[in-house]
Amino acid sequence: NNQTWSSGPALIITVGVIVFVIAFFGCAGAFWQSRPFLYTFSVLMAIMFILTIVGAILVGVYKKQIEDHLLSSMNSTMANYSNDDTIKKTWDSMQKDFPKCCGTIG
């Protein structure tokens, strides 16, 4: 599914923009010695810290579901291995870069 693969880059760009905004508040607050900017920076950093902890906990809780989803997604591409050059290159690259990897089983 093309939409599934396009959500990854969109997420990375969104996180990058958020980090840029947070960094702006920190730099501007330090440069202009502005307490409101520094408070905003501190609050945003605290929120990011909390979200990171929550994300780590969710990954731990839903580890099995995440593994199952990745496994089924990877297995579904194997049907098109000979027909789709992108899938072929991706699988071949993974096999070459991770020598102990043998498909989705290990």
Side-chain angles (χ1 to χ4, degrees):
N1 185 337
N2 218 8
Q3 186 180 10
T4 302
W5 297 114
S6 66
S7 63
L11 177 66
I12 291 171
I13 291 169
T14 303
V15 169
V17 168
I18 291 169
V19 168
F20 175 80
V21 169
I22 293 172
F24 169 78
F25 279 109
C27 290
F31 182 75
W32 291 313
Q33 297 178 355
S34 168
R35 284 186 181 217
F37 274 70
L38 290 174
Y39 286 138
T40 303
F41 171 73
S42 298
V43 168
L44 291 174
M45 285 299 293
I47 290 170
M48 289 296 287
F49 178 73
I50 291 168
L51 288 175
T52 302
I53 299 299
V54 168
I57 291 169
L58 288 173
V59 166
V61 169
Y62 293 106
K63 182 180 178 185
K64 181 67 175 148
Q65 289 91 333
I66 293 169
E67 287 175 355
D68 291 344
H69 176 72
L70 288 174
L71 184 64
S72 68
S73 295
M74 290 174 72
N75 282 331
S76 69
T77 63
M78 287 305 292
N80 295 323
Y81 179 81
S82 346
N83 304 331
D84 190 332
D85 198 42
T86 304
I87 292 172
K88 183 174 177 24
K89 286 180 183 177
T90 302
W91 274 105
D92 290 348
S93 173
M94 186 171 54
Q95 294 291 329
K96 187 175 105 184
D97 294 341
F98 301 100
K100 294 182 181 179
C101 178
C102 300
T104 56
I105 306 298

